[in-house]
Amino acid sequence: MAENMSEDLKSGALVYHRLPKPGKLEIQATKPLGNQRDLALAYSPGVAAACMAIHEDPQEAATLTIRQNLVAVLSNGTAVLGLGDIGPLASKPVMEGKAVLFKKFAGIDVFDIEVDQKDVDKLVDVVCALEPTFGGINLEDIKAPECFEVEERCRERMNIPVFHDDQHGTAIIVAAAVLNGLELAGKKLEDARIVTSGAGAAALACLNILVSLGARVENITVTDIKGVVFKGRTELMDRWKDVYAKETEARTLAEVIPGADIFIGLSAGGVLKPEYLETMAEKPLIMALANPYPEIMPDLAEKARPDAMICTGRSDFPNQVNNVLCFPYIFRGALDVGASKINEEMKKAAVKAIAALARETPSDVVARAYGGEARPFGPRSLIPSPFDPRLILRIAPAVAKAAMDSGVAGRPVADIEAYAESLDRFVHRSGFIMKPLFSKAKEAPKRVIYAEGEDERVLRAVQAIVEDGVAKPILVGRPRVVETRLKRFGLSIQEGRDFELIDPEDDPRYRKYVQTYLDVAGRRGITPEAARTLVRTNTTVIGAIAVRRGEADALICGLEGRFETRLRIIRDVIGLKPGLTQCAAMSLIVTKKGAYFLADTHVRQDPSAEEIAEVAVACANHVTRFGLTPKIALLSHSDFGQSDSTSAVKMRTALGLLHERAPDLQVDGEMQADSALSELTRDRVLPGSRLKGSANILVFPNLDAANIAFQFAKVLADALPVGPLLIGPAKPAHILTPSVTARGIVNVTTAAVVEAQGSAEGVSADSAEAGLGLISE
């Protein structure tokens, strides 16, 4: 894997892991420790009460400690994803990464544990000795066949779930795809002929779960690096592989592939030749899962067999088999009912839940998240996206119910439907809120012009943007400066190949740009002489003119200078959407508790009630692009009529306007911030509010309040800021702030591209009329 990585990505990955502090994890206290009493409760003498309660009843560990939400991601580093036996210490970044996924997707805490031990007996002893600490063990990157032995023996000795994700995570997703592929092909699993390339942990686990679902061993042929697994073979054989050994004279993949309904590849790139596909059965399912190069590339497979259904392990093709589809949610369900193991019934429940979700009609939230596309069930949509927010809502309850039904749940939940509803707290709190926008942007990248094209942050951002394919960059900058800085920073992007360059000192379009500027701003105090000077010296003017002339689809500016100055240029040159008299700015902050959109953080100093309503609707329509249902709180120092101050009355009036114009919109106010973020707090003041759960759009009464809240949240909540996102320009244009990072530029660029796509399709999501219409629908 490392040898296929670009130098830019390699360098960026090292910086990502190294700064601002090493690693991807930290330990945080969940209880206050601010005074002597807190110390007495947390440690001596108060902690003795908790210790004795657990001593008397071990089940109390689940209520008094972190144990029931704590998983060990454990490896000895003998089979690290694509890197092989690199040892436990070198595997630590991978285990930290797995820990992050557990936390982000399912709220599960993780200690990564790297064990310097290859002896199976000793490794098993180490794992089993950890049982008092953890609610579950996720074995990772342990080579076959030792991984089978370790998991099997640990499961026998331990009373908590032990799950080797490399085996079962892949197997569960593969099985879901197989069920759906066979349904589309009109075939039955018990009749399907299955051929594998690869006989490692994942491949054998795939076969085992398919057999448990109804596949017949006599219909399965396994091949590996030594050819067909046949009866009597002694080389590279073990008791797990022996199960699938066949009486056959065939010795190669080419000999056994004819007539196969399903090919499962977990081996090496290029082993499945296009001519092999021609001999497969009608409507074959091809699961080419080797990474980064699959057993056959999808374009070659489609050319050889247009009727084939194809899955890979790659994110740049449909039907990605990605373990993150299931492992966080399987553990979530198992931990929540205190399961003693993850058994076959629980795995099959996960398979069926994933398969069923792919067949569901996408909800409007998911459709919006992926650019309004329905993404219906079909050959290119056999399994859900790894970022479908409904995964946890389907898989965890199915696993929990299977654990209870099969008798391995130590703490069964009384109401499985109520449990399923409680999982909604994890939806959209993953930190991956930008992912739907990235997916949409890649479908039709737009031209984005960067006014500060010489800035290091822009150049680093453009490198990532080009690699990800989310936009077509245009830089405003002097060629010699840009070239020198690209070399200095070790970036590989090149003018002409990866980006277009507008030289402010010598561009053939100079005269046309001057004339355009005079045409749109001549009556706003811009003289011909001033226009000639500004088109040479002001890069924001150049970028705005390019967008105005249709030579770029979106503008990113503002890394230097005053926000107000750039706003005036955008308003004068690009103009506003019909019906709007002013822009507004919405800023996103992604915190550990969720994503929140704040308005107006940068433009309108003291908006009227009418403007508050206008901004609220515009924000709601922007928020739908993130796959979220807008929930708006109109904030004030007053809580539902407690004060008749000028600002409180203003927010109250804005609420009335919104109720008239957008009756289906979830909005309430005026309210204090704690009421906005807590339904329990809100119900104490005003039971029956039309706003349910926590608000995700916070509209402030004035600029001071909004901007201060945004800056505080960035620093004190350690939040990821995105934006500000400018609402109102006739074409996408965003003014960044001097503190923005390269990552922030990438995020805003992606939002701008998706906005430009909507504009190209005739969608005016920011206008008040279009906004009200969309919300009402």
Side-chain angles (χ1 to χ4, degrees):
M1 182 180 357
E3 61 269 18
N4 297 314
M5 192 186 303
S6 71
E7 287 300 317
D8 306 304
L9 184 58
K10 193 180 299 183
S11 172
L14 292 175
V15 170
Y16 175 87
H17 283 79
R18 189 170 283 134
L19 300 174
K21 58 184 178 181
K24 299 189 283 280
L25 302 171
E26 67 179 3
I27 303 297
Q28 283 193 331
T30 59
K31 297 295 193 296
L33 201 64
N35 53 47
Q36 186 61 39
R37 177 169 173 77
D38 289 344
L39 183 60
L41 292 171
Y43 197 53
S44 180
V47 72
C51 292
M52 291 311 298
I54 296 170
H55 177 69
E56 293 166 6
D57 179 6
Q59 289 294 327
E60 286 290 347
T63 65
L64 295 171
T65 74
I66 192 179
R67 182 175 186 262
Q68 206 51 47
N69 196 55
L70 185 63
V71 167
V73 172
L74 187 147
S75 178
N76 65 357
T78 53
V80 180
L81 44 77
L83 301 175
D85 186 354
I86 61 173
L89 183 60
S91 77
K92 189 172 179 65
V94 177
M95 303 312 126
E96 285 189 359
K98 194 70 176 277
V100 169
L101 296 178
F102 266 110
K103 186 66 174 180
K104 292 293 187 181
F105 282 103
I108 294 171
D109 295 304
V110 168
F111 290 161
D112 64 290
I113 297 179
E114 294 74 35
V115 181
D116 189 7
Q117 186 55 259
K118 294 184 179 181
D119 181 272
V120 170
D121 292 334
K122 293 179 180 178
L123 184 57
V124 168
D125 286 341
V126 168
V127 177
C128 293
L130 295 171
E131 183 169 350
T133 303
F134 297 100
I137 305 284
N138 183 97
L139 299 176
E140 192 78 14
D141 293 349
I142 301 172
K143 73 181 181 72
E146 288 89 337
C147 61
F148 301 117
E149 187 78 33
V150 172
E151 184 191 44
E152 186 177 285
R153 289 167 58 181
C154 288
R155 291 182 63 185
E156 290 172 357
R157 289 174 53 180
M158 301 177 77
N159 200 40
I160 58 173
V162 179
F163 187 80
H164 186 215
D165 184 48
D166 298 329
Q167 293 181 57
H168 307 300
T170 301
I172 286 165
I173 304 162
V174 165
V178 166
L179 293 183
N180 282 341
L182 292 177
E183 178 177 311
L184 289 173
K187 301 175 183 179
K188 295 181 179 179
L189 181 57
E190 58 266 29
D191 299 328
R193 278 203 57 225
I194 303 170
V195 173
T196 77
S197 174
L204 293 178
C206 290
L207 297 179
N208 292 342
I209 198 167
L210 289 173
V211 169
S212 75
L213 288 164
R216 295 192 295 198
V217 174
E218 57 265 32
N219 289 341
I220 297 172
T221 304
V222 175
T223 71
D224 61 12
I225 194 170
K226 296 298 181 181
V228 174
V229 174
F230 60 90
K231 286 191 181 295
R233 196 181 106 171
T234 57
E235 195 173 11
L236 289 182
M237 294 297 290
D238 53 59
R239 63 186 174 94
W240 296 277
K241 204 181 294 186
D242 279 340
V243 173
Y244 297 102
K246 299 192 73 170
E247 291 281 6
T248 178
E249 296 298 319
R251 293 294 182 266
T252 66
L253 177 61
E255 293 176 82
V256 297
I257 198 73
D261 298 287
I262 301 167
F263 169 82
I264 299 175
L266 285 152
S267 55
V271 301
L272 185 64
K273 308 301 181 186
E275 56 267 27
Y276 295 0
L277 272 62
E278 297 172 5
T279 66
M280 292 182 71
E282 181 184 0
K283 296 182 180 178
L285 174 60
I286 300 165
M287 310 203 73
L289 307 180
N291 254 330
Y293 301 113
E295 284 77 4
I296 186 168
M297 292 298 291
D299 55 340
L300 293 177
E302 288 176 0
K303 185 176 180 180
R305 287 299 299 266
D307 62 334
M309 293 168 279
I310 306 162
C311 300
T312 71
R314 292 172 50 144
S315 61
D316 51 347
F317 294 107
N319 293 323
Q320 183 196 12
V321 174
N322 187 329
N323 287 15
V324 80
L325 265 168
C326 67
F327 73 79
Y329 318 122
I330 290 172
F331 268 96
R332 182 75 275 157
L335 294 174
D336 287 342
V337 296
S340 59
K341 62 182 64 179
I342 295 173
N343 58 22
E344 207 64 25
E345 289 82 0
M346 296 159 74
K347 288 186 281 185
K348 288 194 287 187
V351 170
K352 293 173 182 177
I354 294 169
L357 178 56
R359 295 193 295 268
E360 285 187 35
T361 300
S363 70
D364 56 347
V365 173
V366 176
R368 288 198 301 266
Y370 288 92
E373 295 184 7
R375 293 182 179 267
F377 174 56
R380 295 173 66 84
S381 186
L382 296 175
I383 46 181
S385 161
F387 294 92
D388 191 320
R390 298 169 298 175
L391 283 165
I392 193 170
L393 306 179
R394 301 294 187 274
I395 298 173
V399 170
K401 185 175 187 303
M404 292 190 293
D405 291 346
S406 61
V408 299
R411 295 188 320 279
V413 296
D415 186 338
I416 196 70
E417 291 185 5
Y419 167 66
E421 290 178 4
S422 74
L423 295 170
D424 191 60
R425 69 190 186 277
F426 295 111
V427 176
H428 299 301
R429 294 186 181 181
S430 66
F432 288 92
I433 191 168
M434 291 297 298
K435 181 64 180 181
L437 271 69
F438 276 97
S439 298
K440 178 62 178 173
K442 289 179 182 180
E443 294 174 3
K446 297 296 182 180
R447 300 164 299 171
V448 178
I449 189 166
Y450 300 86
E452 291 87 5
E454 298 175 0
D455 190 283
E456 176 183 356
R457 292 165 293 175
V458 170
L459 295 175
R460 291 193 181 279
V462 168
Q463 178 74 53
I465 287 161
V466 169
E467 288 180 352
D468 291 340
V470 298
K472 300 175 181 177
I474 304 170
L475 305 183
V476 180
R478 294 161 293 179
R480 63 185 184 280
V481 175
V482 171
E483 184 178 357
T484 299
R485 292 184 178 180
L486 288 175
K487 290 180 180 177
R488 182 193 308 165
F489 305 139
L491 302 176
S492 63
I493 51 174
Q494 296 178 14
E495 179 191 354
R497 185 190 69 184
D498 300 308
F499 62 88
E500 181 185 338
L501 189 66
I502 294 180
D503 181 1
E505 295 179 345
D506 183 22
D507 191 274
R509 294 165 289 190
Y510 171 72
R511 292 182 182 277
K512 293 179 180 179
Y513 275 35
V514 170
Q515 188 58 52
T516 299
Y517 194 29
L518 285 171
D519 291 344
V520 298
R523 292 183 179 274
R524 294 186 177 90
I526 300 299
T527 64
E529 184 60 32
R532 286 190 288 271
T533 300
L534 288 169
V535 174
R536 285 278 191 217
T537 60
N538 192 312
T539 57
T540 301
V541 169
I542 296 170
I545 293 172
V547 172
R548 172 82 186 203
R549 290 171 55 84
E551 295 169 5
D553 301 302
L555 167 66
I556 305 292
C557 64
L559 277 78
E560 300 171 358
R562 297 181 60 190
F563 189 97
E564 294 79 5
T565 302
R566 277 143 186 79
L567 181 62
R568 188 179 306 114
I569 292 169
I570 289 170
R571 189 176 57 234
D572 290 350
V573 178
I574 297 177
L576 301 176
K577 288 185 179 294
L580 295 183
T581 58
Q582 177 60 288
C583 294
M586 176 181 72
S587 297
L588 165 63
I589 56 168
V590 183
T591 73
K592 294 176 181 178
K593 291 190 174 182
Y596 302 96
F597 298 82
L598 282 56
D600 172 3
T601 54
H602 286 78
V603 180
R604 306 191 191 200
Q605 293 187 6
D606 188 14
S608 66
E610 181 77 29
E611 289 176 311
I612 291 287
E614 180 183 277
V615 168
V617 171
C619 288
N621 284 281
H622 266 280
V623 167
T624 60
R625 294 196 180 107
F626 291 82
L628 295 169
T629 298
K631 298 181 179 183
I632 305 174
L634 305 179
L635 298 184
S636 171
H637 72 95
S638 171
D639 221 13
F640 300 110
Q642 291 178 351
S643 169
D644 287 328
S645 66
T646 302
S647 65
V649 171
K650 177 172 68 174
M651 302 307 277
R652 209 175 300 157
T653 304
L655 178 67
L657 294 172
L658 285 166
H659 282 173
E660 290 176 8
R661 302 174 186 178
D664 295 330
L665 191 63
Q666 275 201 61
V667 58
D668 213 337
E670 83 283 10
M671 70 177 77
Q672 294 178 353
D674 56 348
S675 295
L677 300 179
S678 168
E679 186 170 17
L680 180 63
T681 301
R682 190 164 59 247
D683 284 346
R684 289 173 182 157
V685 182
L686 185 72
S689 168
R690 69 191 304 175
L691 178 63
K692 302 302 178 185
S694 174
N696 53 23
I697 300 176
L698 307 177
V699 182
F700 292 81
N702 58 51
L703 179 62
D704 286 344
N707 191 269
I708 291 169
F710 176 54
Q711 303 300 342
F712 260 114
K714 282 196 303 182
V715 178
L716 297 184
D718 194 22
L720 167 67
V722 179
L725 302 175
L726 201 59
I727 297 172
K731 294 183 179 180
H734 298 294
I735 307 170
L736 304 176
T737 58
S739 62
V740 72
T741 63
R743 181 186 181 191
I745 296 171
V746 172
N747 286 336
V748 173
T749 297
T750 304
V753 169
V754 174
E755 187 180 352
Q757 291 171 343
S759 299
E761 295 163 3
V763 177
S764 179
D766 296 333
S767 72
E769 293 182 1
L772 293 169
L774 177 58
I775 294 298
S776 297
E777 291 170 6

